[in-house]
């Protein structure tokens, strides 16, 4: 059932070119670019007139929600709030009739997310599920939804479900933006074509697996790591840090790179690794100066960079290359080496990467 792989986790990481393809199949048309999502068509009016979107989720799914916040606000000009379902349910939140709630869940059975959407529904919100498990509780409770079609995820750490969630949320944002007229047809076409290219580009990253494994061996003794990114890649920093904690039992924290100066930089010495997501985007120059600040304090730096980057390769201790892609879609690619890094470190340390201690695949109790 592991299809010849040592662990479900690596099988599921390597499956991502095909799971992302399945997520796009029948939805994204690139000849004359268009997006079909019946789950949005049903509530088109609400999406076009909605005053705000509230995203509810936990864990890795919450990180997908944060990526979506940046993308939906940019493309659709609708304010988005992203909340931990566990906080939302206990704080008498302000929900208006007509608000759109997007519930993101791989399992569709996370207790806090179920209760949170139940409450929002009672207040008249429309619930859209972004769920992987077909027919699950959250899928059934939702008014409408878009499945991620990532297939069963067995490894406790979420990998392919996350890239499926981000892919679905980009499709939703693009479709709503085109209908609302908050994006030009030209930009829409361009992003559709870039999105269709994602499966091949994920495959291209895997050429570096041995290289990533070597980096993992080098850093397997780590005690602490910082993950730093800006913009669309800030949530990817959070997700990379979560993966490292779960699989390798190494303490890690994700931050927006600019927040470094407001505290975390105090931790930097020769024993701390900073993982930068530093692919080409409008923040590129700023990220370089953040990397220089870490190096000046003798910290170790691993950078995820765009293919062919020569600036950062001269400063960082190690680099992993990502194929060039539009910055809005880059988070899908940038998370892949971070999944691999935690996998290889976990394996190097002899841990049961499919079943990390103290964790359950779906958290059905609060
Ligand atoms: C992390 C992880 C968890 C889940 C979280 C939500 O790798 O697997 O953080 O993402 O428990 O689960 P779902 O998406 O099933 O609601």
């Amino acid at each position: 059932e592991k299809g010849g792989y040592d662990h479900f986790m690596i099988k599921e990481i390597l499956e991502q070119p095909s799971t992302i393809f399945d997520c796009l199949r029948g939805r994204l048309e690139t000849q004359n670019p268009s997006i079909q999502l019946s789950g949005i068509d049903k509530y088109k009016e609400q999406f076009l007139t909605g005053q705000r979107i509230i995203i509810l989720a936990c864990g890795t799914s919450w990180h997908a929600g944060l990526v979506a916040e940046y993308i939906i606000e940019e493309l659709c000009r609708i304010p988005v709030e992203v909340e931990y379902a566990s906080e939302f349910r206990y704080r008498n939140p302000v929900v208006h009739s007509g608000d759109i709630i997007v519930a993101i869940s791989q399992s569709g059975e996370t207790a806090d997310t179920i209760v949170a959407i139940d409450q929002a529904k009672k207040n008249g919100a429309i619930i859209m599920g972004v769920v992987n498990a077909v027919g699950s509780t959250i899928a059934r409770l939702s008014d409408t939804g878009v499945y991620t079609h990532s297939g069963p995820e067995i490894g406790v750490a979420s990998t392919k479900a996350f890239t499926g969630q981000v892919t679905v949320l980009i499709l939703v944002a693009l479709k709503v933006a085109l209908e609302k007229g908050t994006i030009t047809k030209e930009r829409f076409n361009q992003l559709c074509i870039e999105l269709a290219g994602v499966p091949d580009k994920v495959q291209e990253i895997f050429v570096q697996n041995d290289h990533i494994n070597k980096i993992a061996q080098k850093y397997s003794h780590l005690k602490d790591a910082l993950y730093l990114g800006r913009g669309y890649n800030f949530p990817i920093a959070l997700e990379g840090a979560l993966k490292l904690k779960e699989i390798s039992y190494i303490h890690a924290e994700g931050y927006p790179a600019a927040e470094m100066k407001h505290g975390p930089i105090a931790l930097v010495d020769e024993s701390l690794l900073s993982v930068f997501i530093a692919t080409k985007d409008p923040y590129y120059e700023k990220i370089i100066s953040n990397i220089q600040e870490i190096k000046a304090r003798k910290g170790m730096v691993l950078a995820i960079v765009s293919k062919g980057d020569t600036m950062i390769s001269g400063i960082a201790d190690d680099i992993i290359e990502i194929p060039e892609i539009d910055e809005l879609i880059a988070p899908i690619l940038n998370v892949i080496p971070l999944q691999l890094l935690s996998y290889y470190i976990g394996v190097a340390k002899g841990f049961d990467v499919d079943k990390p201690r103290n964790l359950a695949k779906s958290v059905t109790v609060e």
Side-chain angles (χ1 to χ4, degrees), residues 58-61 104-110 113 138 156-158 165 239 242-243 246 361-363:
C58 302
T60 287
S61 299
I104 310 174
S105 177
Q106 187 287 127
S107 62
E109 302 297 345
T110 300
T113 312
I138 294 172
V156 163
S158 189
Q165 290 162 345
E239 174 59 8
L242 179 62
K243 288 286 93 91
E246 290 179 296
K361 182 62 187 161
S362 70
V363 184

mmCIF file with all atom_site columns, all heavy atoms in Angstrom, residues 58-61 104-110 113 138 156-158 165 239 242-243 246 361-363, ligand 1:
data_model
loop_
_atom_site.group_PDB
_atom_site.id
_atom_site.type_symbol
_atom_site.label_atom_id
_atom_site.label_alt_id
_atom_site.label_comp_id
_atom_site.label_asym_id
_atom_site.label_entity_id
_atom_site.label_seq_id
_atom_site.pdbx_PDB_ins_code
_atom_site.Cartn_x
_atom_site.Cartn_y
_atom_site.Cartn_z
_atom_site.occupancy
_atom_site.B_iso_or_equiv
_atom_site.pdbx_formal_charge
_atom_site.auth_seq_id
_atom_site.auth_comp_id
_atom_site.auth_asym_id
_atom_site.auth_atom_id
_atom_site.pdbx_PDB_model_num
ATOM   1   N N   . CYS A 1 58  ? -7.623  24.516 11.362 1.00 0.00 ? 58  CYS A N   1
ATOM   2   C CA  . CYS A 1 58  ? -6.614  24.244 12.387 1.00 0.00 ? 58  CYS A CA  1
ATOM   3   C C   . CYS A 1 58  ? -5.321  23.778 11.712 1.00 0.00 ? 58  CYS A C   1
ATOM   4   O O   . CYS A 1 58  ? -5.355  23.219 10.616 1.00 0.00 ? 58  CYS A O   1
ATOM   5   C CB  . CYS A 1 58  ? -7.065  23.119 13.321 1.00 0.00 ? 58  CYS A CB  1
ATOM   6   S SG  . CYS A 1 58  ? -8.626  23.427 14.151 1.00 0.00 ? 58  CYS A SG  1
ATOM   7   N N   . GLY A 1 59  ? -4.218  23.970 12.391 1.00 0.00 ? 59  GLY A N   1
ATOM   8   C CA  . GLY A 1 59  ? -2.936  23.376 11.981 1.00 0.00 ? 59  GLY A CA  1
ATOM   9   C C   . GLY A 1 59  ? -2.505  23.760 10.573 1.00 0.00 ? 59  GLY A C   1
ATOM   10  O O   . GLY A 1 59  ? -2.537  24.929 10.177 1.00 0.00 ? 59  GLY A O   1
ATOM   11  N N   . THR A 1 60  ? -2.091  22.745 9.832  1.00 0.00 ? 60  THR A N   1
ATOM   12  C CA  . THR A 1 60  ? -1.625  22.964 8.464  1.00 0.00 ? 60  THR A CA  1
ATOM   13  C C   . THR A 1 60  ? -2.721  23.589 7.594  1.00 0.00 ? 60  THR A C   1
ATOM   14  O O   . THR A 1 60  ? -2.448  24.446 6.750  1.00 0.00 ? 60  THR A O   1
ATOM   15  C CB  . THR A 1 60  ? -1.142  21.616 7.878  1.00 0.00 ? 60  THR A CB  1
ATOM   16  O OG1 . THR A 1 60  ? 0.104   21.296 8.510  1.00 0.00 ? 60  THR A OG1 1
ATOM   17  C CG2 . THR A 1 60  ? -0.941  21.670 6.387  1.00 0.00 ? 60  THR A CG2 1
ATOM   18  N N   . SER A 1 61  ? -3.957  23.182 7.816  1.00 0.00 ? 61  SER A N   1
ATOM   19  C CA  . SER A 1 61  ? -5.068  23.734 7.031  1.00 0.00 ? 61  SER A CA  1
ATOM   20  C C   . SER A 1 61  ? -5.220  25.234 7.316  1.00 0.00 ? 61  SER A C   1
ATOM   21  O O   . SER A 1 61  ? -5.586  26.012 6.428  1.00 0.00 ? 61  SER A O   1
ATOM   22  C CB  . SER A 1 61  ? -6.366  22.995 7.348  1.00 0.00 ? 61  SER A CB  1
ATOM   23  O OG  . SER A 1 61  ? -6.232  21.635 7.018  1.00 0.00 ? 61  SER A OG  1
ATOM   24  N N   . ILE A 1 104 ? -11.580 24.942 6.042  1.00 0.00 ? 104 ILE A N   1
ATOM   25  C CA  . ILE A 1 104 ? -10.568 24.122 5.371  1.00 0.00 ? 104 ILE A CA  1
ATOM   26  C C   . ILE A 1 104 ? -10.215 22.939 6.273  1.00 0.00 ? 104 ILE A C   1
ATOM   27  O O   . ILE A 1 104 ? -9.857  23.138 7.444  1.00 0.00 ? 104 ILE A O   1
ATOM   28  C CB  . ILE A 1 104 ? -9.286  24.935 5.074  1.00 0.00 ? 104 ILE A CB  1
ATOM   29  C CG1 . ILE A 1 104 ? -9.639  26.246 4.369  1.00 0.00 ? 104 ILE A CG1 1
ATOM   30  C CG2 . ILE A 1 104 ? -8.302  24.119 4.239  1.00 0.00 ? 104 ILE A CG2 1
ATOM   31  C CD1 . ILE A 1 104 ? -8.428  27.176 4.170  1.00 0.00 ? 104 ILE A CD1 1
ATOM   32  N N   . SER A 1 105 ? -10.316 21.743 5.733  1.00 0.00 ? 105 SER A N   1
ATOM   33  C CA  . SER A 1 105 ? -9.981  20.557 6.535  1.00 0.00 ? 105 SER A CA  1
ATOM   34  C C   . SER A 1 105 ? -9.643  19.373 5.649  1.00 0.00 ? 105 SER A C   1
ATOM   35  O O   . SER A 1 105 ? -10.401 19.049 4.739  1.00 0.00 ? 105 SER A O   1
ATOM   36  C CB  . SER A 1 105 ? -11.157 20.201 7.452  1.00 0.00 ? 105 SER A CB  1
ATOM   37  O OG  . SER A 1 105 ? -10.890 19.025 8.180  1.00 0.00 ? 105 SER A OG  1
ATOM   38  N N   . GLN A 1 106 ? -8.531  18.750 5.910  1.00 0.00 ? 106 GLN A N   1
ATOM   39  C CA  . GLN A 1 106 ? -8.180  17.530 5.192  1.00 0.00 ? 106 GLN A CA  1
ATOM   40  C C   . GLN A 1 106 ? -9.177  16.437 5.544  1.00 0.00 ? 106 GLN A C   1
ATOM   41  O O   . GLN A 1 106 ? -9.799  15.856 4.667  1.00 0.00 ? 106 GLN A O   1
ATOM   42  C CB  . GLN A 1 106 ? -6.746  17.111 5.555  1.00 0.00 ? 106 GLN A CB  1
ATOM   43  C CG  . GLN A 1 106 ? -6.173  15.938 4.766  1.00 0.00 ? 106 GLN A CG  1
ATOM   44  C CD  . GLN A 1 106 ? -6.754  14.585 5.118  1.00 0.00 ? 106 GLN A CD  1
ATOM   45  O OE1 . GLN A 1 106 ? -7.225  13.854 4.217  1.00 0.00 ? 106 GLN A OE1 1
ATOM   46  N NE2 . GLN A 1 106 ? -6.774  14.241 6.382  1.00 0.00 ? 106 GLN A NE2 1
ATOM   47  N N   . SER A 1 107 ? -9.303  16.150 6.834  1.00 0.00 ? 107 SER A N   1
ATOM   48  C CA  . SER A 1 107 ? -10.107 15.004 7.281  1.00 0.00 ? 107 SER A CA  1
ATOM   49  C C   . SER A 1 107 ? -11.601 15.283 7.211  1.00 0.00 ? 107 SER A C   1
ATOM   50  O O   . SER A 1 107 ? -12.401 14.364 7.067  1.00 0.00 ? 107 SER A O   1
ATOM   51  C CB  . SER A 1 107 ? -9.744  14.668 8.726  1.00 0.00 ? 107 SER A CB  1
ATOM   52  O OG  . SER A 1 107 ? -10.065 15.772 9.574  1.00 0.00 ? 107 SER A OG  1
ATOM   53  N N   . GLY A 1 108 ? -11.961 16.548 7.372  1.00 0.00 ? 108 GLY A N   1
ATOM   54  C CA  . GLY A 1 108 ? -13.380 16.888 7.471  1.00 0.00 ? 108 GLY A CA  1
ATOM   55  C C   . GLY A 1 108 ? -13.982 16.473 8.799  1.00 0.00 ? 108 GLY A C   1
ATOM   56  O O   . GLY A 1 108 ? -15.197 16.509 8.980  1.00 0.00 ? 108 GLY A O   1
ATOM   57  N N   . GLU A 1 109 ? -13.138 16.078 9.747  1.00 0.00 ? 109 GLU A N   1
ATOM   58  C CA  . GLU A 1 109 ? -13.641 15.571 11.038 1.00 0.00 ? 109 GLU A CA  1
ATOM   59  C C   . GLU A 1 109 ? -13.049 16.314 12.232 1.00 0.00 ? 109 GLU A C   1
ATOM   60  O O   . GLU A 1 109 ? -13.222 15.871 13.370 1.00 0.00 ? 109 GLU A O   1
ATOM   61  C CB  . GLU A 1 109 ? -13.327 14.066 11.182 1.00 0.00 ? 109 GLU A CB  1
ATOM   62  C CG  . GLU A 1 109 ? -13.891 13.179 10.075 1.00 0.00 ? 109 GLU A CG  1
ATOM   63  C CD  . GLU A 1 109 ? -15.430 13.176 10.002 1.00 0.00 ? 109 GLU A CD  1
ATOM   64  O OE1 . GLU A 1 109 ? -16.091 13.629 10.966 1.00 0.00 ? 109 GLU A OE1 1
ATOM   65  O OE2 . GLU A 1 109 ? -15.955 12.743 8.962  1.00 0.00 ? 109 GLU A OE2 1
ATOM   66  N N   . THR A 1 110 ? -12.348 17.398 12.025 1.00 0.00 ? 110 THR A N   1
ATOM   67  C CA  . THR A 1 110 ? -11.721 18.123 13.132 1.00 0.00 ? 110 THR A CA  1
ATOM   68  C C   . THR A 1 110 ? -12.809 18.772 14.007 1.00 0.00 ? 110 THR A C   1
ATOM   69  O O   . THR A 1 110 ? -13.592 19.596 13.529 1.00 0.00 ? 110 THR A O   1
ATOM   70  C CB  . THR A 1 110 ? -10.743 19.171 12.581 1.00 0.00 ? 110 THR A CB  1
ATOM   71  O OG1 . THR A 1 110 ? -9.756  18.471 11.825 1.00 0.00 ? 110 THR A OG1 1
ATOM   72  C CG2 . THR A 1 110 ? -10.076 19.971 13.680 1.00 0.00 ? 110 THR A CG2 1
ATOM   73  N N   . THR A 1 113 ? -13.287 22.625 14.213 1.00 0.00 ? 113 THR A N   1
ATOM   74  C CA  . THR A 1 113 ? -13.758 23.218 12.949 1.00 0.00 ? 113 THR A CA  1
ATOM   75  C C   . THR A 1 113 ? -15.247 22.912 12.756 1.00 0.00 ? 113 THR A C   1
ATOM   76  O O   . THR A 1 113 ? -16.017 23.771 12.321 1.00 0.00 ? 113 THR A O   1
ATOM   77  C CB  . THR A 1 113 ? -12.898 22.694 11.770 1.00 0.00 ? 113 THR A CB  1
ATOM   78  O OG1 . THR A 1 113 ? -11.518 22.820 12.127 1.00 0.00 ? 113 THR A OG1 1
ATOM   79  C CG2 . THR A 1 113 ? -13.164 23.472 10.498 1.00 0.00 ? 113 THR A CG2 1
ATOM   80  N N   . ILE A 1 138 ? -17.557 17.676 7.790  1.00 0.00 ? 138 ILE A N   1
ATOM   81  C CA  . ILE A 1 138 ? -17.499 19.082 7.344  1.00 0.00 ? 138 ILE A CA  1
ATOM   82  C C   . ILE A 1 138 ? -18.032 19.218 5.911  1.00 0.00 ? 138 ILE A C   1
ATOM   83  O O   . ILE A 1 138 ? -18.738 20.174 5.589  1.00 0.00 ? 138 ILE A O   1
ATOM   84  C CB  . ILE A 1 138 ? -16.063 19.648 7.494  1.00 0.00 ? 138 ILE A CB  1
ATOM   85  C CG1 . ILE A 1 138 ? -15.717 19.716 8.988  1.00 0.00 ? 138 ILE A CG1 1
ATOM   86  C CG2 . ILE A 1 138 ? -15.932 21.035 6.828  1.00 0.00 ? 138 ILE A CG2 1
ATOM   87  C CD1 . ILE A 1 138 ? -14.285 20.063 9.321  1.00 0.00 ? 138 ILE A CD1 1
ATOM   88  N N   . VAL A 1 156 ? 0.652   11.100 9.178  1.00 0.00 ? 156 VAL A N   1
ATOM   89  C CA  . VAL A 1 156 ? -0.016  12.025 10.098 1.00 0.00 ? 156 VAL A CA  1
ATOM   90  C C   . VAL A 1 156 ? 0.259   13.478 9.708  1.00 0.00 ? 156 VAL A C   1
ATOM   91  O O   . VAL A 1 156 ? -0.617  14.333 9.789  1.00 0.00 ? 156 VAL A O   1
ATOM   92  C CB  . VAL A 1 156 ? 0.388   11.725 11.568 1.00 0.00 ? 156 VAL A CB  1
ATOM   93  C CG1 . VAL A 1 156 ? 0.062   12.892 12.482 1.00 0.00 ? 156 VAL A CG1 1
ATOM   94  C CG2 . VAL A 1 156 ? -0.336  10.467 12.045 1.00 0.00 ? 156 VAL A CG2 1
ATOM   95  N N   . ALA A 1 157 ? 1.464   13.764 9.263  1.00 0.00 ? 157 ALA A N   1
ATOM   96  C CA  . ALA A 1 157 ? 1.764   15.137 8.856  1.00 0.00 ? 157 ALA A CA  1
ATOM   97  C C   . ALA A 1 157 ? 1.140   15.417 7.498  1.00 0.00 ? 157 ALA A C   1
ATOM   98  O O   . ALA A 1 157 ? 1.301   14.650 6.548  1.00 0.00 ? 157 ALA A O   1
ATOM   99  C CB  . ALA A 1 157 ? 3.268   15.335 8.779  1.00 0.00 ? 157 ALA A CB  1
ATOM   100 N N   . SER A 1 158 ? 0.440   16.515 7.418  1.00 0.00 ? 158 SER A N   1
ATOM   101 C CA  . SER A 1 158 ? -0.252  16.844 6.177  1.00 0.00 ? 158 SER A CA  1
ATOM   102 C C   . SER A 1 158 ? 0.735   17.397 5.143  1.00 0.00 ? 158 SER A C   1
ATOM   103 O O   . SER A 1 158 ? 1.515   18.297 5.432  1.00 0.00 ? 158 SER A O   1
ATOM   104 C CB  . SER A 1 158 ? -1.334  17.881 6.484  1.00 0.00 ? 158 SER A CB  1
ATOM   105 O OG  . SER A 1 158 ? -2.142  18.050 5.360  1.00 0.00 ? 158 SER A OG  1
ATOM   106 N N   . GLN A 1 165 ? -5.115  22.084 -0.977 1.00 0.00 ? 165 GLN A N   1
ATOM   107 C CA  . GLN A 1 165 ? -5.921  23.192 -0.423 1.00 0.00 ? 165 GLN A CA  1
ATOM   108 C C   . GLN A 1 165 ? -5.532  24.520 -1.062 1.00 0.00 ? 165 GLN A C   1
ATOM   109 O O   . GLN A 1 165 ? -6.387  25.309 -1.468 1.00 0.00 ? 165 GLN A O   1
ATOM   110 C CB  . GLN A 1 165 ? -5.709  23.274 1.100  1.00 0.00 ? 165 GLN A CB  1
ATOM   111 C CG  . GLN A 1 165 ? -6.327  22.111 1.856  1.00 0.00 ? 165 GLN A CG  1
ATOM   112 C CD  . GLN A 1 165 ? -5.771  21.955 3.278  1.00 0.00 ? 165 GLN A CD  1
ATOM   113 O OE1 . GLN A 1 165 ? -4.735  22.537 3.626  1.00 0.00 ? 165 GLN A OE1 1
ATOM   114 N NE2 . GLN A 1 165 ? -6.451  21.164 4.094  1.00 0.00 ? 165 GLN A NE2 1
ATOM   115 N N   . GLU A 1 239 ? 4.420   26.936 8.020  1.00 0.00 ? 239 GLU A N   1
ATOM   116 C CA  . GLU A 1 239 ? 4.177   25.529 7.692  1.00 0.00 ? 239 GLU A CA  1
ATOM   117 C C   . GLU A 1 239 ? 5.487   24.722 7.733  1.00 0.00 ? 239 GLU A C   1
ATOM   118 O O   . GLU A 1 239 ? 5.511   23.590 8.231  1.00 0.00 ? 239 GLU A O   1
ATOM   119 C CB  . GLU A 1 239 ? 3.485   25.429 6.322  1.00 0.00 ? 239 GLU A CB  1
ATOM   120 C CG  . GLU A 1 239 ? 3.285   24.030 5.773  1.00 0.00 ? 239 GLU A CG  1
ATOM   121 C CD  . GLU A 1 239 ? 2.459   23.089 6.657  1.00 0.00 ? 239 GLU A CD  1
ATOM   122 O OE1 . GLU A 1 239 ? 1.881   23.525 7.662  1.00 0.00 ? 239 GLU A OE1 1
ATOM   123 O OE2 . GLU A 1 239 ? 2.432   21.896 6.327  1.00 0.00 ? 239 GLU A OE2 1
ATOM   124 N N   . LEU A 1 242 ? 6.271   24.060 11.329 1.00 0.00 ? 242 LEU A N   1
ATOM   125 C CA  . LEU A 1 242 ? 5.374   23.043 11.908 1.00 0.00 ? 242 LEU A CA  1
ATOM   126 C C   . LEU A 1 242 ? 5.818   21.643 11.477 1.00 0.00 ? 242 LEU A C   1
ATOM   127 O O   . LEU A 1 242 ? 5.878   20.722 12.293 1.00 0.00 ? 242 LEU A O   1
ATOM   128 C CB  . LEU A 1 242 ? 3.917   23.309 11.480 1.00 0.00 ? 242 LEU A CB  1
ATOM   129 C CG  . LEU A 1 242 ? 2.886   22.295 11.991 1.00 0.00 ? 242 LEU A CG  1
ATOM   130 C CD1 . LEU A 1 242 ? 2.805   22.280 13.506 1.00 0.00 ? 242 LEU A CD1 1
ATOM   131 C CD2 . LEU A 1 242 ? 1.496   22.582 11.408 1.00 0.00 ? 242 LEU A CD2 1
ATOM   132 N N   . LYS A 1 243 ? 6.144   21.483 10.186 1.00 0.00 ? 243 LYS A N   1
ATOM   133 C CA  . LYS A 1 243 ? 6.586   20.175 9.693  1.00 0.00 ? 243 LYS A CA  1
ATOM   134 C C   . LYS A 1 243 ? 7.838   19.723 10.441 1.00 0.00 ? 243 LYS A C   1
ATOM   135 O O   . LYS A 1 243 ? 7.958   18.568 10.814 1.00 0.00 ? 243 LYS A O   1
ATOM   136 C CB  . LYS A 1 243 ? 6.886   20.198 8.187  1.00 0.00 ? 243 LYS A CB  1
ATOM   137 C CG  . LYS A 1 243 ? 5.705   20.294 7.246  1.00 0.00 ? 243 LYS A CG  1
ATOM   138 C CD  . LYS A 1 243 ? 4.894   19.011 7.103  1.00 0.00 ? 243 LYS A CD  1
ATOM   139 C CE  . LYS A 1 243 ? 3.742   19.017 8.083  1.00 0.00 ? 243 LYS A CE  1
ATOM   140 N NZ  . LYS A 1 243 ? 2.492   19.569 7.597  1.00 0.00 ? 243 LYS A NZ  1
ATOM   141 N N   . GLU A 1 246 ? 6.910   18.578 14.008 1.00 0.00 ? 246 GLU A N   1
ATOM   142 C CA  . GLU A 1 246 ? 6.138   17.334 14.053 1.00 0.00 ? 246 GLU A CA  1
ATOM   143 C C   . GLU A 1 246 ? 6.974   16.105 13.741 1.00 0.00 ? 246 GLU A C   1
ATOM   144 O O   . GLU A 1 246 ? 6.825   15.062 14.366 1.00 0.00 ? 246 GLU A O   1
ATOM   145 C CB  . GLU A 1 246 ? 5.042   17.366 12.974 1.00 0.00 ? 246 GLU A CB  1
ATOM   146 C CG  . GLU A 1 246 ? 3.920   18.304 13.211 1.00 0.00 ? 246 GLU A CG  1
ATOM   147 C CD  . GLU A 1 246 ? 2.941   18.229 12.062 1.00 0.00 ? 246 GLU A CD  1
ATOM   148 O OE1 . GLU A 1 246 ? 3.300   18.577 10.916 1.00 0.00 ? 246 GLU A OE1 1
ATOM   149 O OE2 . GLU A 1 246 ? 1.803   17.812 12.312 1.00 0.00 ? 246 GLU A OE2 1
ATOM   150 N N   . LYS A 1 361 ? -4.063  11.561 13.489 1.00 0.00 ? 361 LYS A N   1
ATOM   151 C CA  . LYS A 1 361 ? -4.324  12.057 12.131 1.00 0.00 ? 361 LYS A CA  1
ATOM   152 C C   . LYS A 1 361 ? -5.503  13.010 12.097 1.00 0.00 ? 361 LYS A C   1
ATOM   153 O O   . LYS A 1 361 ? -5.471  14.022 11.423 1.00 0.00 ? 361 LYS A O   1
ATOM   154 C CB  . LYS A 1 361 ? -4.548  10.885 11.164 1.00 0.00 ? 361 LYS A CB  1
ATOM   155 C CG  . LYS A 1 361 ? -4.779  11.308 9.708  1.00 0.00 ? 361 LYS A CG  1
ATOM   156 C CD  . LYS A 1 361 ? -3.574  12.030 9.141  1.00 0.00 ? 361 LYS A CD  1
ATOM   157 C CE  . LYS A 1 361 ? -3.817  12.613 7.758  1.00 0.00 ? 361 LYS A CE  1
ATOM   158 N NZ  . LYS A 1 361 ? -2.835  13.666 7.418  1.00 0.00 ? 361 LYS A NZ  1
ATOM   159 N N   . SER A 1 362 ? -6.564  12.671 12.805 1.00 0.00 ? 362 SER A N   1
ATOM   160 C CA  . SER A 1 362 ? -7.598  13.712 12.870 1.00 0.00 ? 362 SER A CA  1
ATOM   161 C C   . SER A 1 362 ? -7.990  13.926 14.321 1.00 0.00 ? 362 SER A C   1
ATOM   162 O O   . SER A 1 362 ? -8.135  12.969 15.098 1.00 0.00 ? 362 SER A O   1
ATOM   163 C CB  . SER A 1 362 ? -8.776  13.422 11.944 1.00 0.00 ? 362 SER A CB  1
ATOM   164 O OG  . SER A 1 362 ? -9.508  12.346 12.404 1.00 0.00 ? 362 SER A OG  1
ATOM   165 N N   . VAL A 1 363 ? -8.108  15.200 14.657 1.00 0.00 ? 363 VAL A N   1
ATOM   166 C CA  . VAL A 1 363 ? -8.307  15.579 16.052 1.00 0.00 ? 363 VAL A CA  1
ATOM   167 C C   . VAL A 1 363 ? -9.802  15.731 16.293 1.00 0.00 ? 363 VAL A C   1
ATOM   168 O O   . VAL A 1 363 ? -10.377 16.807 16.129 1.00 0.00 ? 363 VAL A O   1
ATOM   169 C CB  . VAL A 1 363 ? -7.519  16.872 16.379 1.00 0.00 ? 363 VAL A CB  1
ATOM   170 C CG1 . VAL A 1 363 ? -7.645  17.208 17.868 1.00 0.00 ? 363 VAL A CG1 1
ATOM   171 C CG2 . VAL A 1 363 ? -6.048  16.688 16.023 1.00 0.00 ? 363 VAL A CG2 1
HETATM 172 C C1  . LIG B 2 .   ? -0.103  19.016 10.507 1.00 0.00 ? 1   LIG B C1  1
HETATM 173 C C2  . LIG B 2 .   ? -1.407  18.410 10.659 1.00 0.00 ? 1   LIG B C2  1
HETATM 174 C C3  . LIG B 2 .   ? -2.415  19.055 11.531 1.00 0.00 ? 1   LIG B C3  1
HETATM 175 C C4  . LIG B 2 .   ? -3.733  19.199 10.774 1.00 0.00 ? 1   LIG B C4  1
HETATM 176 C C5  . LIG B 2 .   ? -4.838  19.754 11.680 1.00 0.00 ? 1   LIG B C5  1
HETATM 177 C C6  . LIG B 2 .   ? -6.124  19.983 10.918 1.00 0.00 ? 1   LIG B C6  1
HETATM 178 O O1  . LIG B 2 .   ? 0.725   18.284 9.681  1.00 0.00 ? 1   LIG B O1  1
HETATM 179 O O2  . LIG B 2 .   ? -1.679  17.385 10.046 1.00 0.00 ? 1   LIG B O2  1
HETATM 180 O O3  . LIG B 2 .   ? -1.957  20.303 11.990 1.00 0.00 ? 1   LIG B O3  1
HETATM 181 O O4  . LIG B 2 .   ? -3.515  20.036 9.675  1.00 0.00 ? 1   LIG B O4  1
HETATM 182 O O5  . LIG B 2 .   ? -5.065  18.863 12.736 1.00 0.00 ? 1   LIG B O5  1
HETATM 183 O O6  . LIG B 2 .   ? -6.635  18.802 10.389 1.00 0.00 ? 1   LIG B O6  1
HETATM 184 P P1  . LIG B 2 .   ? -7.716  18.801 9.266  1.00 0.00 ? 1   LIG B P1  1
HETATM 185 O O7  . LIG B 2 .   ? -7.166  19.455 8.067  1.00 0.00 ? 1   LIG B O7  1
HETATM 186 O O8  . LIG B 2 .   ? -8.038  17.349 9.030  1.00 0.00 ? 1   LIG B O8  1
HETATM 187 O O9  . LIG B 2 .   ? -8.922  19.548 9.791  1.00 0.00 ? 1   LIG B O9  1
#
